[in-house]
Structures are given as C-alpha cells and as structure tokens.
Amino acid sequence: MPANQVYDVVGVGFGPSNLALAIAMAESREEVTGLFLERQADFGWHRGMLIEDATMQVSFLKDLVTMRNPTSEFSFLSYLHSADRLVDFINQKSLFPLRVEFHDYLEWVAARLAHTVRYGHEVIAVEPVTEDDVVTSFDVTARHGADTTTYRARNLVFGVGLEPHLPDGATLSGRVWHNKDLLARVEQLDEAPRRFAVVGAGQSAAEVTKFLHDRFPQAEVCGVFSRYGYSPSDDSPFANRVFDPEAVDQFYTAPEHVKEMILDYHANTNYSVVDTDLIEELYRRTYQEKVLGTPRLRLFNVSRVAEAVETGDGVRATVESLTTHEKTVLDCDVVVYATGYRPADPLRLLGELGAQCRRDERDRPVVTRDYRVDTDTELRAGLYLQGSTEHTHGISSSLLSTTAVRAGQILQSITTRRDAPLAHSGWRQP
C-alpha cells in the first residue's frame, strides 16, 4: 500500500483472534483495508507447550471461521483436505485434534494471509490524529530492528493475548521456568536432571508433569498444588453452553451480580482443571510406582512453594503444607511454574489517550457489545478488544470458542461506522 494509506483497520498482534479477523476481512463483500503488526519474527501460538501427544480442549469445529462461515476455505476441514488427511482424521472419530496439528492449521492460515501482516514489528506508541479537536484516526508506530514505521488507521484492534502469571516472589531464571518456554528450555538442558518440581493444578501443569515424567525416565517429578488433587474439567454438553455465541448476549446484558455468579459457577470449565483421562493416567502412574516400590512421581497437595533459591547447580525449593505448615526441602534441577496467564492491559500503549477511554468502578475498560471500547465523544476513531473482556462478555473472551463469531461482529461494527468523515491534509482518502 502507498506510504500515505489510511487503513480501515490496524491490528496489534497476530495471534488466533486477529488471524480470525484477517480471515473475516478477506471474505468480506466490502473492501476493507487493513494491516496487522506482530512483534514475533513469525507466527507462533504457545509453541512452548506443543507437546507431541497433547490434544486440544475444544472441538475442531470451533476453528477460526466455521462458526461464522461454515463454507469457508480457511476452515480446519479445508486445511485437512489440503494436507490429504481428511479421511484419516474422520476415521479416528475425534473432535479434538492434536495441539501440534491445530498449530499447523493456524500456520497454514497465517501463511495464506501473510500479505496482511508485518512480522517483527512491535507497536511502541499510539498517537491521536485530530480534526476540529476530534480524534478521527490513530498514528501507530512500530519498531522493527533499528527502524520505526508509522501507520495510520481509523480503527485499532488489540489482540495482544495473555501474559504469563507467577506467584508473588517467584522470579524466572535459567533454572526457574514458566511452562510457556517448556520445550525450548528442555532442549537446552546439558545434563540429565535428577528432580523437577512443577507448580500448578491446571491442565498445563498436569501436561508438564506427564511430559517430564516421560521424557526423563531417571528423574523424579514433584507436583505441587494448593488443591487436594487435580480437579476434572466440566466439558459436559449443558455446561459447554456457556461458550455458545448466544451466551455472550445473555452475559453482556446480565446484572453485575449475575455475571459474577456465572463466572463462579462455570470456572471449572476452564480454570485450574484437567481432562479426566489425564488425571486418571497420572494417578495410575503414582499407584504403579507405589506397588513397584519405585516412587518417581510425587504429588504435594494442599501445599505451596514457600521459597525457591538457586544454589548454583540447581534450585532449593521449600514446599510448605497449607494444613500442617510442615516444610519439605527439595533440591531440584528445575522448577517449572505452570501457573497460568493473566490478561495483558490492552490499552497500555495509548499513553495520555487512554484517559479518554471510560472505565468502570474497578478500573476495567467499559466495552460495548460489539467489543468497542467506550470513549469520550472527542475520540471517534475505533478501539476494539480481542480478549480482556471477560468482565463484560463472559468466560469465552480469551478462548477459541467464540473467536470466529467475535471477529465477524467486530468487522461488522467497523464497516458500519466507516462512513464517519475523515480529512487530514496530505493523507489520501480510500
């Protein structure tokens, strides 16, 4: 595009959410100009947890497009057909592909839309462009290497994803990891480890525990979590309705106390829960090792890591029982925190412009039903959020379940509002 192009959309980040938006734009009957800026050098989605036998926890039908457009050429089924695996996938009679395979699907889509993204571009600033004291567009500055480039857009769509969460006092290092880096870190180990500690009670923690137990047959793997045991996820048909597109409408219009009740009732569909098959496999291993007298998988339940101190050749982790306060010292080669993620602040790049974004009494962004940030009247350019809207749109806000539908709704909102006037000397109108 010409250097003075005013884009309809600039997307910050190019993970699954904005990738779904790129598809919606490509399939739109209306011409929509857009560009996505991604700080990674190429496409990647939780690469550190692409364990070979780990499967998706969501049906393949909730891919980037099918729930919005079942006939799309960007669907997971189209990907399987292009890879000559459609029949084989059908024959395995499963709704849940390997995570490695689903990531390959995402890369396949991203490659087909490579012309819409600039990789290696980290957005570092957003400045308002005003006309008669009204913000009508944004100048978005991205750093790539030693250079910077500024792009102008009528609408910004933030798809910045989640940030790794660590307990208070925990610090990452060469021997203290977050599970997001698991596979890359494991490959860097230069000696056979003797003991790992894995902190966390959710799906990722259980997967890490199993992976390390498999990968290092001579090492002890210690799971540490505050629950009594791994809790099963509720993926029953009725509970799964909380992820339906219609559930977003119901949640959005519900009173605040009802929203909190829904989130509390259905937290066990997503947070700190584990697939039943994996729970049973880990229990089988602990029992088998007990029978054989070779305990290598040890679980410290109702416990926490009170302290983790590097000793030069390892990490000394002090595990404290939450009931008796008894402490156990574990000399580990590595401590892995599989303690989840938290939403990144999507508006942190706005600087002083952020003061024109309305917030509720808990300092959360006020977001309209079409995922647009509610702003002062002087800010007419659009700010949209993909994620960080659980408080307004429900539990599926950061999950794949409604990604395809949400992308369509955001695009519809943008095209509907596009007739707003835009005039700025030296910048070409589309």
Side-chain angles (χ1 to χ4, degrees):
M1 293 202 176
N4 62 347
Q5 174 70 48
V6 182
Y7 292 97
D8 291 315
V9 178
V10 165
V12 182
F14 202 56
S17 293
N18 271 349
L19 184 53
L21 178 60
I23 296 173
M25 291 164 59
E27 295 182 337
S28 176
R29 295 180 179 179
E30 301 183 53
E31 182 180 356
V32 183
T33 59
L35 183 71
F36 297 87
L37 304 172
E38 170 55 54
R39 64 182 177 182
Q40 295 188 100
D42 50 25
F43 183 85
W45 184 59
H46 298 301
R47 285 187 177 275
M49 284 295 290
L50 295 180
I51 299 171
E52 287 186 357
D53 60 350
T55 59
M56 297 292 293
Q57 276 76 59
V58 62
S59 167
F60 72 88
L61 293 171
K62 293 184 177 181
D63 57 19
L64 298 176
V65 65
T66 298
M67 296 284 284
R68 177 182 60 81
N69 177 15
T71 64
S72 173
E73 64 181 42
F74 292 96
S75 69
F76 183 76
L77 290 179
S78 293
Y79 154 77
L80 288 174
H81 185 267
S82 72
D84 197 26
R85 289 201 307 272
L86 180 57
V87 172
D88 298 320
F89 183 85
I90 293 171
N91 285 341
Q92 74 170 350
K93 301 179 181 180
S94 174
L95 293 172
F96 308 104
L98 289 169
R99 195 176 300 153
V100 171
E101 183 176 34
F102 198 82
H103 190 276
D104 192 55
Y105 156 66
L106 297 177
E107 289 184 301
W108 174 79
V109 174
R112 300 181 70 188
L113 296 170
H115 61 284
T116 68
V117 60
R118 302 289 183 270
Y119 290 109
H121 281 56
E122 180 181 8
V123 175
I124 58 174
V126 176
E127 299 292 338
V129 178
T130 60
E131 175 190 344
D132 298 329
D133 297 323
V134 173
V135 178
T136 55
S137 58
F138 306 104
D139 277 347
V140 184
T141 301
R143 179 171 54 217
H144 45 102
D147 300 322
T148 61
T149 305
T150 298
Y151 306 89
R152 183 161 291 183
R154 294 184 181 85
N155 299 278
L156 283 184
V157 182
F158 290 97
V160 296
L162 303 170
E163 295 179 341
H165 171 71
L166 293 172
D168 291 341
T171 303
L172 299 181
S173 69
R175 293 188 176 274
V176 179
W177 310 341
H178 188 276
N179 68 279
K180 73 180 183 67
D181 301 315
L182 177 69
L183 295 185
R185 291 286 200 172
V186 162
E187 293 300 325
Q188 295 170 3
L189 291 175
D190 53 7
E191 296 181 1
R194 296 164 298 172
R195 177 183 286 150
F196 293 93
V198 180
V199 184
Q203 180 72 23
S204 292
E207 288 178 355
V208 171
T209 299
K210 178 180 178 296
F211 168 78
L212 295 173
H213 193 261
D214 289 336
R215 178 70 176 265
F216 302 99
Q218 305 304 317
E220 183 178 280
V221 181
C222 301
V224 183
F225 43 82
S226 58
R227 295 191 173 206
Y228 202 83
Y230 295 114
S231 298
S233 58
D234 185 356
D235 61 353
S236 57
F238 287 116
N240 271 344
R241 286 183 170 176
V242 76
F243 302 116
D244 290 353
E246 293 80 5
V248 177
D249 292 318
Q250 296 166 356
F251 188 94
Y252 187 83
T253 58
E256 188 63 28
H257 74 279
V258 175
K259 290 179 179 177
E260 293 179 358
M261 180 185 69
I262 293 171
L263 292 173
D264 183 56
Y265 280 165
H266 294 287
N268 65 344
T269 59
N270 183 59
Y271 298 114
S272 296
V273 288
V274 183
D275 286 347
T276 300
D277 290 347
L278 181 52
I279 294 174
E280 292 176 349
E281 172 61 22
L282 291 176
Y283 189 88
R284 184 195 65 78
R285 295 186 184 197
T286 60
Y287 185 75
Q288 176 180 323
E289 290 177 355
K290 188 173 184 179
V291 171
L292 298 176
T294 56
R296 194 167 61 83
L297 177 55
R298 300 172 61 190
L299 300 180
F300 293 81
N301 60 359
V302 199
S303 299
R304 69 184 184 99
V305 174
E307 187 178 47
V309 179
E310 292 204 40
T311 59
D313 59 349
V315 182
R316 178 158 292 175
T318 302
V319 178
E320 179 184 14
S321 168
L322 297 176
T323 54
T324 66
H325 301 292
E326 178 183 357
K327 294 182 178 179
T328 304
V329 175
L330 300 174
D331 287 318
C332 307
D333 294 272
V334 172
V335 174
V336 183
Y337 283 96
T339 45
Y341 294 81
R342 296 292 185 273
D345 180 3
L347 305 180
R348 65 182 184 272
L349 295 169
L350 296 181
E352 295 181 0
L353 192 60
Q356 297 187 48
C357 299
R358 293 172 181 162
R359 292 182 177 266
D360 63 16
E361 65 281 357
R362 294 166 63 177
D363 199 36
R364 301 172 300 187
V366 176
V367 186
T368 58
R369 176 59 186 86
D370 56 1
Y371 300 94
R372 195 174 192 267
V373 178
D374 193 16
T375 63
D376 295 343
T377 55
E378 293 79 12
L379 203 171
R380 294 183 185 173
L383 294 168
Y384 292 84
L385 301 185
Q386 299 241 52
S388 301
T389 59
E390 186 174 277
H391 62 292
T392 53
H393 290 70
I395 201 169
S396 64
S397 293
S398 61
L399 307 176
L400 282 171
S401 295
T402 57
T403 295
V405 175
R406 179 176 66 242
Q409 292 170 344
I410 290 174
L411 180 60
Q412 182 179 7
S413 175
I414 289 171
T415 55
T416 299
R417 295 171 178 267
R418 189 168 50 178
D419 293 334
L422 176 65
H424 190 79
S425 177
W427 292 81
R428 183 179 64 83
Q429 297 295 319

